[in-house]
Amino acid sequence: MRVGKGFRIVPCHNGIMESHQSPAIHIEHLTKRYGAMTALDAFDLTVRRGEIFGLLGPNGSGKTTSIRCMLGLLTFDAGSIEILGERMTPTSYELRRRIGVVPQEVAVFEALTVQENIDYFCSLYVPDRKRRAQLVDEAIAFVGLEDFRKFRPKKLSGGLLRRLNIACGIAHQPELIFFDEPTVAVDPQSRNAILEGIKRLNAHGATVVYTSHYMEEVEQICDRILIMDHGKHLALGTADELKRSTGIGETISIEAPDLTDAAVAAVKALPAVTSAERGGGDGSNGDGNGSGDDGNGNNSTGTGTGMGTTLTVVCSRGERNLIDVLDALHDAGVHPGHVSSQPPTLNDVFLSLTGKQLRD
């Protein structure tokens, strides 16, 4: 997506809000119950004006409920919500004109063309036809759909549909935009175009709340990230701050043809090592018995049991983890070949906070 001429929202100086400005979103002790189930449990949230804010949580964490409360689509049992400095209520119609929503599911009319769809959704906020025509043209240019104005949705590819969905949500040039998993089921080129478009929207003054299960996207575009679960605030910070806040260290991978059980045991005994597993590189055919081709077209049987020559070591945080692991292998008579160290990812942090159990 590219920014069309004239596409402007309400800019914040230097991107992030100045100290005298109220937050884009301020939530205190938000509580929402469905009978005996508590969907939001004294949930707190502050989103600064001018930032791209990542809101993360597993299925059932309360993300959708919190957003619906922010948009005034749900009542709640306790707490307060302020959006763009105003209290959000079910009748805050003028306030809603300053908000845009791009839902996960593509929400357009199949009987309308690209231009007609964008015009319809823009008309919900902008009654003046002349002004609306200008906004529709700018939205079409922004998402790069100039050549598809007269196309109906069924004629568009998945990536173009996503771009139409975005145009429908931003045509009225809102100050605050919610993006709910906007890159689901699109190709890498479309995903990149969407993410770049979101960053450009932000550069032109929009505050963005971004939800996704693609952690690499969140890490790529979000200024700050909040992780929630069971209706509660678990952690907040930049991606780097969240990684530093946990005890997770790096994952070290070492290839060593002469790797032994004794060497693996020595590595496991290190204080900072949480797990050390060997695998791969054993010439096995995948059935664990070590049989395979000897490289000369002959079937051979190895003497190992599929233990492998690659050692994967997961560590807690520490300054000398890699050095200590290599020293332990050297003392055990092992000569490492390829060595790599992978720092913890946002996905690692997310799983450490919310657990690995599957959610419905």
Side-chain angles (χ1 to χ4, degrees):
M1 297 190 297
R2 60 184 181 278
V3 177
K5 291 182 178 180
F7 198 99
R8 292 292 185 273
I9 303 172
V10 179
C12 296
H13 297 290
N14 300 320
I16 306 300
M17 73 172 188
E18 295 180 330
S19 58
H20 67 271
Q21 290 182 294
S22 60
I25 301 172
H26 184 63
I27 297 175
E28 289 188 344
H29 310 305
L30 186 62
T31 302
K32 173 65 178 177
R33 300 184 185 91
Y34 295 98
M37 186 191 77
T38 301
L40 294 171
D41 190 359
F43 179 63
D44 294 327
L45 171 68
T46 299
V47 177
R48 302 166 183 160
R49 295 200 194 210
E51 71 176 335
I52 303 179
F53 189 90
L55 181 59
L56 303 183
N59 294 336
S61 64
K63 279 196 318 295
T64 300
T65 300
S66 66
I67 291 174
R68 293 185 70 187
C69 289
M70 292 180 223
L71 296 174
L73 301 176
L74 274 181
T75 59
F76 45 90
D77 298 289
S80 63
I81 300 176
E82 287 189 0
I83 304 292
L84 300 172
E86 298 182 26
R87 184 66 61 95
M88 173 58 80
T89 69
T91 58
S92 300
Y93 302 119
E94 289 302 316
L95 179 56
R96 289 180 188 173
R97 293 178 187 271
R98 302 165 66 190
I99 301 171
V101 180
V102 179
Q104 177 180 347
E105 298 297 329
V106 175
V108 296
F109 294 101
E110 293 292 338
L112 301 182
T113 66
V114 164
Q115 182 167 338
E116 290 167 345
N117 264 291
I118 300 170
D119 180 73
Y120 170 78
F121 285 101
C122 191
S123 73
L124 300 177
Y125 307 96
V126 183
D128 182 81
R129 289 187 177 184
K130 185 176 180 180
R131 171 59 176 156
R132 192 167 72 241
Q134 177 186 352
L135 293 174
V136 170
D137 285 343
E138 291 175 5
I140 288 173
F142 182 83
V143 299
L145 288 176
E146 298 98 321
D147 295 336
F148 303 92
R149 285 175 176 266
K150 301 302 182 182
F151 282 55
R152 286 184 168 77
K154 66 181 179 180
K155 296 292 186 180
L156 301 177
S157 67
L160 292 176
L161 265 178
R162 286 284 168 188
R163 285 150 66 179
L164 172 58
N165 203 42
I166 290 172
C168 291
I170 67 168
H172 61 296
Q173 298 188 359
E175 298 170 53
L176 172 63
I177 310 173
F178 290 84
F179 283 90
D180 186 7
E181 303 202 42
T183 62
V184 170
V186 300
D187 60 74
Q189 289 81 6
S190 295
R191 174 175 286 115
N192 182 70
I194 290 170
L195 295 178
E196 288 299 317
I198 291 171
K199 289 193 286 187
R200 291 187 187 116
L201 280 170
N202 176 249
H204 282 261
T207 300
V208 173
V209 175
Y210 189 84
T211 71
S212 177
H213 290 297
Y214 298 123
M215 297 295 159
E216 69 278 6
E217 290 182 2
V218 175
E219 193 164 356
Q220 177 182 341
I221 70 169
C222 292
D223 299 303
R224 293 189 304 147
I225 301 157
L226 183 142
I227 299 175
M228 65 181 298
D229 199 10
H230 303 297
K232 296 182 178 180
H233 169 142
L234 296 183
L236 171 67
T238 66
D240 287 339
E241 287 170 347
L242 290 174
K243 292 173 190 176
R244 291 195 298 267
S245 70
T246 70
I248 304 172
E250 70 262 47
T251 298
I252 301 168
S253 179
I254 300 168
E255 294 179 7
D258 53 355
L259 187 63
T260 63
D261 289 341
V264 174
V267 170
K268 285 183 176 180
L270 294 172
V273 170
T274 58
S275 70
E277 305 293 337
R278 63 189 297 190
D282 60 349
S284 72
N285 63 0
D287 60 5
N289 63 11
S291 63
D293 194 292
D294 65 2
N296 296 314
N298 300 314
N299 193 42
S300 63
T301 301
T303 58
T305 57
M307 294 299 289
T309 59
T310 299
L311 180 64
T312 301
V313 183
V314 179
C315 303
S316 57
R317 288 185 62 199
E319 299 293 331
R320 291 179 44 88
N321 289 339
L322 180 58
I323 294 172
D324 290 343
V325 168
L326 292 177
D327 284 346
L329 292 175
H330 180 269
D331 292 344
V334 173
H335 302 84
H338 181 268
V339 178
S340 65
S341 178
Q342 174 67 45
T345 65
L346 185 59
N347 191 64
D348 294 329
V349 176
F350 182 84
L351 292 176
S352 74
L353 291 172
T354 64
K356 298 181 179 181
Q357 183 177 358
L358 292 175
R359 306 289 182 94
D360 294 331

